[in-house]
């Protein structure tokens, strides 16, 4: 279901039809798989200190939200295809 939803449109707009806890968890797990839980905690710390989402993501992951969402969508589709 997540792979289908991500394939249906722009991955960065995954929440445009309403928030989805399974989608949010999937994205969080993807971020954790890239650099570990400490990176997710650091991202949240930066956001809590007032950093923009794109700025915090660039600092921690080296990419903005749209780019990370595209990679996440690709990873989800690959996993669903196995």
């Amino acid at each position: 279901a997540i792979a289908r939803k991500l394939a249906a449109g722009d991955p960065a707009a995954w929440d445009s039809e309403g928030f989805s806890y399974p989608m949010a968890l999937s994205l969080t797990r993807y971020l954790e798989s890239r650099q570990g839980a400490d990176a997710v905690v650091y991202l949240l710390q930066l956001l809590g200190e007032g950093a923009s989402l794109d700025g915090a993501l660039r600092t921690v992951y080296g990419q903005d939200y749209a780019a990370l969402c595209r990679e996440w969508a690709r990873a989800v589709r690959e996993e669903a295809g196995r």
Side-chain angles (χ1 to χ4, degrees):
I2 292 173
R4 270 194 316 270
K5 186 168 185 175
L6 289 172
D10 177 9
W14 66 269
D15 61 345
S16 64
E17 296 177 17
F19 185 81
S20 164
Y21 283 102
M23 297 282 284
L25 179 58
S26 175
L27 177 55
T28 302
R29 285 181 174 162
Y30 172 73
L31 293 176
E32 183 179 11
S33 76
R34 289 199 45 184
Q35 294 189 19
D38 288 343
V40 175
V41 171
Y42 183 44
L43 173 66
L44 295 173
Q45 178 184 346
L46 291 172
L47 292 170
E49 292 171 355
S52 70
L53 179 58
D54 279 338
L57 287 169
R58 279 190 200 100
T59 297
V60 178
Y61 296 98
Q63 295 176 294
D64 65 15
Y65 182 71
L68 278 168
C69 284
R70 284 190 299 272
E71 286 190 5
W72 164 52
R74 192 170 22 256
V76 168
R77 284 192 304 269
E78 287 174 7
E79 182 69 26
R82 290 183 188 180

